[in-house]
Amino acid sequence: MTERIVVSPGDLLGDGVFETLHLRPSGPWLLEEHLARLVRSSSILEMPEPPVDRIRSAISDLSVSSGALRVIYTRSGVLNVSVSTIPATVLRERREGVRVLTADLGFTVRKPPPWSLSAAKSLSYASNFAARRWAARQGADDVVWLSTEGYVLEAPTASVVWLDGGVLCTVPPEEAGILPGITAEHLLSLAGPAGLGAAQRMITGAELSRAGAIWLTSSLRGLAEVVELDGVARDRSPWTPRLLDLLGF
Amino acid sequence: MTERIVVSPGDLLGDGVFETLHLRPSGPWLLEEHLARLVRSSSILEMPEPPVDRIRSAISDLSVSSGALRVIYTRSGVLNVSVSTIPATVLRERREGVRVLTADLGFTVRKPPPWSLSAAKSLSYASNFAARRWAARQGADDVVWLSTEGYVLEAPTASVVWLDGGVLCTVPPEEAGILPGITAEHLLSLAGPAGLGAAQRMITGAELSRAGAIWLTSSLRGLAEVVELDGVARDRSPWTPRLLDLLGF
């Protein structure tokens, strides 16, 4: 099923916000967090606030109970809630891990432009797709963006989480000027009960390569372990199945 | 008239290319150049080549003979050709000039990422709109982006052209990693007959402020003279009406 929607040509200019959620038989996973981020993104884009009640209704009315749930809201007011099959690559990456390249995004974290949308999940996703195509051309699955200063930022469609000794770490979104990762934040909130510490830290690409384990986290993947970083194979972490279990996968 | 088109939700993710042309009673201005750039942009995005013959037919079939002509082509194959009224602000800027701020884009020209789309006119335009909103909030009309090294790049929806002595200059698109400006290139091609030289040069923001005249050029504006740069008023250039005339405005 390919859903069709009616829009104006201007709605195709990437000027809006979206969220992707994991729709589970128990309901949309971390719904409140995703709705809150959608509202935050729209605020960064200085556009009308998304109609959260209408979004809740649309989700309640869905005829399917699992899949990739996408909520789109454009500046002109187009709202779309749709569910599609979770791509096979996502399932494979969750199971088998990902081969990742780090690459300089060409952007500084020191002085982002005052109109920067990098902390919002905007519909302008062409560069995110382009970065992943580039990784695929190099024989990798994904890319981790570094700032021009060498700091780890995020992946085009995922956050970066790593294990430093007994501490589960992720990048501080505000300091790095990146999208706050909902799955990453949720995972870190579960670190204590799992016997791990939790921290947000700036880290360079070189430091990351020495981490005990590295994962890409996102709603649909949950987490995918980085099994190869810049061409260097990494041992599988015993934490991967435990953390996936914690996330309900 | 608000045109409506039918698309898939994924078409709203800014993953495609577009062009804006000035539709004149004599036909779409610089049509071949815009079609060639649309094809180049699609190549940079590694997407299917736009159906140029279908685009020509759609333009021939238009029921209006002037306005802002937009051609949109998404990765999934949605093609849209539409005409809208030229915004009143564009006409005013062409007549009265623009107050412009320079601002650091936070991007380096030294080492753009290998997947960079900055030389393509992609549908991911949210940051372009955001930069112009930021300028408006500061009481200006537009912004000229600088690289982190201080080089003049482009405006969110226009190229930068300036007069250095008797030489009409613009930024070299390849070296700066920016969209090649069709109006700017056309204007420079007319410099000789107008008694001016023409050159592509990298220039810093500070150097630009000492130029004899500065313009923003684009299909719909033709050119708009920069009458205020970073809060400093500038004398009107006698070249502005002459160059507008050369461009057929």
Side-chain angles (χ1 to χ4, degrees), chain A residues 2-15 18 44-46 70 72 74-75 78 80 82 103-108 111 113-115 117 122-127 129-131 133-134 137 143 145 148, chain B residues 2-15 18 44-46 70 72 74-75 78 80 82 103-108 111 113-115 117 122-127 129-131 133-134 137 143 145 148:
Chain A
T2 305
E3 194 180 344
R4 309 295 284 171
I5 51 174
V6 180
V7 302
S8 300
D11 287 314
L12 298 180
L13 288 171
D15 200 18
F18 79 108
I44 294 171
L45 266 75
E46 302 170 289
R70 193 152 56 190
I72 289 176
T74 75
R75 185 176 299 276
V78 169
N80 179 259
S82 64
D104 188 343
L105 185 55
F107 240 115
T108 173
K111 221 184 84 196
W115 61 84
L117 304 181
S122 93
L123 290 172
S124 284
Y125 234 52
S127 281
F129 293 132
R133 283 196 304 274
W134 173 79
R137 271 204 307 281
V143 54
W145 286 329
T148 49
Chain B
T2 305
E3 193 180 344
R4 310 296 285 171
I5 52 174
V6 180
V7 301
S8 300
D11 287 314
L12 298 180
L13 289 170
D15 200 19
F18 79 107
I44 294 171
L45 265 74
E46 303 169 289
R70 193 152 56 188
I72 288 177
T74 75
R75 185 175 299 275
V78 169
N80 179 258
S82 65
D104 188 344
L105 184 56
F107 239 114
T108 172
K111 221 183 85 196
W115 61 84
L117 304 181
S122 94
L123 291 171
S124 284
Y125 234 52
S127 281
F129 293 132
R133 285 196 303 273
W134 172 80
R137 271 204 306 282
V143 53
W145 287 330
T148 50

Side-chain angles (χ1 to χ4, degrees), chain A residues 82-98:
Chain A
S82 64
V83 181
S84 55
T85 308
I86 295 176
T89 51
V90 168
L91 303 177
R92 180 176 53 75
E93 291 179 5
R94 196 194 291 157
R95 205 170 51 235
E96 300 176 9
V98 283

Side-chain angles (χ1 to χ4, degrees), chain B residues 44-68:
Chain B
I44 294 171
L45 265 74
E46 303 169 289
M47 52 180 272
E49 188 161 316
V52 170
D53 288 343
R54 273 176 59 209
I55 295 171
R56 286 184 204 280
S57 304
I59 292 174
S60 301
D61 293 346
L62 289 169
S63 57
V64 288
S65 65
S66 66

Side-chain angles (χ1 to χ4, degrees), chain A residues 209-233:
Chain A
S209 71
R210 297 190 290 271
I214 312 170
W215 298 276
L216 299 188
T217 66
S218 69
S219 302
L220 298 185
R221 265 170 286 216
L223 53 82
E225 184 171 358
V226 177
V227 295
E228 190 184 302
L229 184 67
D230 291 328
V232 179

